[in-house]
Amino acid sequence: MHISQLALTPLISLIAGVLILIMPRLLNYIVALYLIVVGLLGLFPHLAG
C-alpha cells in the first residue's frame, strides 16, 4: 500500500491536533518532531520516496 506525501500530511496534522487537545504538554514535542521531519525531508528529498 502506497500513501502519497500529499495524503500523509493532513493525517499527521489531524493526529497531532488530537494529541495536543488530549495532552497539551505534548505540544513542544510534536512541534519539534514536525520541524525535524520537515527539515530532513527538505535537505534530503530522496528520503520522501
Side-chain angles (χ1 to χ4, degrees), residues 9-38:
T9 304
L11 181 63
I12 292 172
S13 297
L14 181 64
I15 292 170
V18 170
L19 286 174
I20 290 169
L21 281 175
I22 294 171
M23 295 183 276
R25 299 180 107 201
L26 281 179
L27 179 62
N28 292 335
Y29 297 108
I30 291 172
V31 170
L33 284 172
Y34 174 77
L35 291 173
I36 290 169
V37 168
V38 169

